[in-house]
Amino acid sequence: MTDDILNPIDDQVDEFKRAIESIILVAHDPVPAELLAQLIEQPTMLIEQWCSELAESYSQAAHGFELVQIAGGYRYQTAPDLTPYVERFLLHDQRARLSGAALETLAIVAYKQPISRSQVAAIRGVDPDGVLRTLQARGYIDETARDDGPGQAILYGTTTSFLEKLGLASLDDLPAIAEFIPDADVVEALEDGLRVTPQVDVAPREMSQNEPGGSSDGASWP
Amino acid sequence: MTDDILNPIDDQVDEFKRAIESIILVAHDPVPAELLAQLIEQPTMLIEQWCSELAESYSQAAHGFELVQIAGGYRYQTAPDLTPYVERFLLHDQRARLSGAALETLAIVAYKQPISRSQVAAIRGVDPDGVLRTLQARGYIDETARDDGPGQAILYGTTTSFLEKLGLASLDDLPAIAEFIPDADVVEALEDGLRVTPQVDVAPREMSQNEPGGSSDGASWP
Amino acid sequence: MAMNVATPVYEGPFDMLLQLILKEQVDIYEVNLSTIVDAYLAELDRMQELDLDVATGFLLIAATLIELKARRLLPNMSDLDLDDELALWEERDMLLARLLEAKTFKDVAQVFAQLASEADRSFPRVVGPDERFAATLPDMLEGTSVTRLRNAAISALTPKPIPTVDLFHINPIKTTVADAVTELLDELPRIGRITFRRLTADLGERVEVIIRFLALLELFKQGAIELDQPERFGDIEIAWSPDDSFDSEAILIDTYEG
C-alpha cells in the first residue's frame, strides 16, 4: 500500500493504533487526523489508514459503538440501531437535573457575559470545564466571542434558547442583582485570593423562595 | 452456566451486549449493573456476566481502552500503558494530587465511617477542619449522617468519587485494616520510647551504658 | 487552598512524637518535651471549633508525656503510691495505643497513595452523549424560575469568607510552658497556697489556662509543690512545698532544654 521503508514495524503499529483508541476515547470533540499524527509522531496518511482499519474491525466485531469521521475528526459514537437503549438511559440519567453547581455557573454566565472559563473558575473556586460543557451541550450557553488579550480566551454568553426557556424577552429582563452584591473591586480582591469580609448578607434561600410570586426586587432588603 | 430456560437466545444476547456498550459509552459516571439490568430488562446476574465477557474480549483484542468495574458501576477507560499519549493529548491533567495529610485523613474516614471531625482529630492529633473541607470540596468525602448524641455532630463518609480516585469497585475492596497493624519491632520501638521505668541507675547515663546487658525492664517492678 | 498550616516536617504533635521515636530512635528522656507540648497547644489554639473532647484528649496526652518524663528524671520513685504508678502505666498504654493507631493510618495512607497513582494511569471516558441525542435530553431548566437564577447569581458572586486563612482570629501563643514555670516559681513561694481557679482567674485565654496547668504538673513532678483535689472535678489546691532536693535552676533548665 505505502512505501515499505516508511512503515513502522508491526509491534509499533499495534501500539499506535491503541494510542489512537485511547485518545479518541477521552476526547470531547472529534479528533482531527493531523492532531493524532502530531501526538503519535506518525504521518497523517498512516493515521487515516489505521483509523479506517479500526473502524472496520469494530464493525466486523459488531460492537455497540462505532468509530466515525465527522466534523473534521474522529470520534466514538453509539451504533444507530441502539438509539432506543441510549435514549432510555438518558432519561434516567441523574445529570438530567440542573445541579446547584450548574445553576450557579449558568447564573454567572448570564449576569457576567461575555466571560471566560478562567473568570468563571475564579468566581466559583473550582474547575468549571465539565459544567460549561454540559451547559453548552444543552444549548443554554455558547461561545460568543474571543478575548482581545494574548491568550484569545473563548468567551461564553447565554443563548436565545436560554431566554426562551426562562420566558425572558431579552437579557435586560434579568432581575437586577447589583444592589445585593459587593462592588467589583471587592470581588476582584477575592479573585486575587485575598480574604475579604462579606459586606452584605445574602438572604436565606428559603425566605426568597417562600415569597409569594417571587416579589423579587428586594422587598426584604434595606 | 445458568439454567437454559432463563437464557435469552444468542441473537438477543448479542444485541444486549451491544446495548451495554452503547449505554456505557455515553455515560458520565460508572453505570451500575442494576441500572443496566433495568434498562435492558435482563437479570443483573446476566448483565454482570456479559460485562465481564466484554471486558475480556477487549483485553483479548488488545484495545487501547478497557471496560472496568469501579465505584459500583462499569465504565470505559484508557489502558494504563498508554498514559503518555493521553497526557500529551489532554495537556493539562486536572486531576488533583492528594497531600500526605489528605491521604491520612481519607484513610481514617474510609475505615472508620461514619466518623465525626472530633474523632478524626483524636486519631491524627491535629485540627482536621481544613483537610476535611478540602476533601469534601474535591468530592471524596461527604456528610453522610448526624450523630445521635447531644451535639448532633456531622458524620463523614467516603463517596463514589473516592472509589474512582483509588480505582476500587467498592468499599469491600479496601485492603483489610488488619494488614496494617504495625510490626512487632515498631511496637517495641514505641514501647521503648515511652518507657515508664527508667533503666536502672537512670541518673548517670554513662554508667547504665557501661553496664553489660542493661537490665532494662522494670527491675523495680513486681 | 491554604490549609497546611503545620510545619512541613511534622504534621502536628502526634506525628512529631511518632517520627522522633521511630525514625530517630530516641526515648522520652531525650525528646524535647516542651516542643511537643507547645505543638499540642498550638494545635488547640488553631482549632476552629471549641471541642472539649479533643481538647481534653490533647491535654491528657501532653500531661502523660510530662509525667513519663518526670518519672524518668526522678531517681527516687520508691515513695510513690502504687495507685499512681498503675495510673501512669495505664495512661502510657493509652498513649501507646493511640500512637499505634496513628501509625496504622499513616501506613494505610501510603497504600492509598499507591492505589491512587495506579488508578491515575487510566483516564475515564466522561464525554457523554453526542449532539444526536440533544433533543432527547430532558430540559434541565424546566421548573427553574428567574428568581432562582437571580438567587444563584447572588450566592455565586458574593465573596465568601475563607475560614482557613482567617488571619484576624489567629492568636499567636504568647507564653510557653517554660515561661509559665518561671512565672510560677516567682509567684508561688510568695503566695504559699492557692486554688487553681484563683490562680488562673485573670487569664482570658483557654490556652493560657492549659499552659498554667501543665506548668503546675511539671512543678509537682519536680517536687516543688503539692497538689490536692479533694473532690472529683473539684477545684485543685496548690501548695508551695519544695523537697529538700528541689533545685529551681535545674527545673528551669529541664523545661527549656526538654
Side-chain angles (χ1 to χ4, degrees), chain C residues 83-171:
Chain C
D83 283 350
D84 286 349
E85 282 296 347
L86 288 176
L88 180 57
W89 276 81
E90 209 170 284
E91 280 160 22
R92 188 214 71 147
D93 284 349
M94 288 282 287
L95 178 55
L96 187 63
R98 297 186 56 177
L99 284 175
L100 284 171
E101 189 173 39
K103 171 84 174 111
T104 302
F105 286 109
K106 259 187 177 320
D107 294 347
V108 173
Q110 286 191 354
V111 173
F112 275 22
Q114 206 185 327
L115 285 173
S117 82
E118 274 165 32
D120 273 353
R121 295 178 64 207
S122 292
F123 293 79
R125 176 177 168 93
V126 283
V127 176
D130 59 66
E131 76 288 335
R132 295 175 301 161
F133 298 99
T136 314
L137 298 172
D139 180 16
M140 291 168 94
L141 277 181
E142 203 179 291
T144 304
S145 67
V146 174
T147 311
R148 252 192 93 202
L149 187 80
R150 187 204 59 164
N151 290 341
I154 293 171
S155 134
L157 295 171
T158 301
K160 295 155 192 74
I162 304 163
T164 34
V165 284
D166 198 349
L167 299 174
F168 304 106
H169 294 92
I170 287 178
N171 291 307

Side-chain angles (χ1 to χ4, degrees), chain C residues 169-242:
Chain C
H169 294 92
I170 287 178
N171 291 307
I173 293 193
K174 293 160 218 104
T175 50
T176 62
V177 178
D179 292 341
V181 167
T182 318
E183 263 176 52
L184 289 171
L185 280 176
D186 179 51
E187 277 176 49
L188 288 177
R190 285 187 285 118
I191 305 170
R193 296 181 84 78
I194 191 170
T195 66
F196 185 67
R197 230 163 250 165
R198 281 196 54 205
L199 185 70
T200 54
D202 57 335
L203 302 178
E205 297 276 325
R206 179 167 43 110
V207 157
E208 289 180 71
V209 177
I210 293 168
I211 288 176
R212 279 278 170 121
F213 181 74
L214 292 172
L216 284 172
L217 269 184
E218 185 72 34
L219 287 174
F220 174 71
K221 290 301 170 196
Q222 299 293 330
I225 57 171
E226 272 169 20
L227 297 175
D228 193 23
Q229 190 178 24
E231 282 172 58
R232 212 163 171 234
F233 304 119
D235 206 353
I236 301 166
E237 291 164 8
I238 303 150
W240 177 253
S241 93

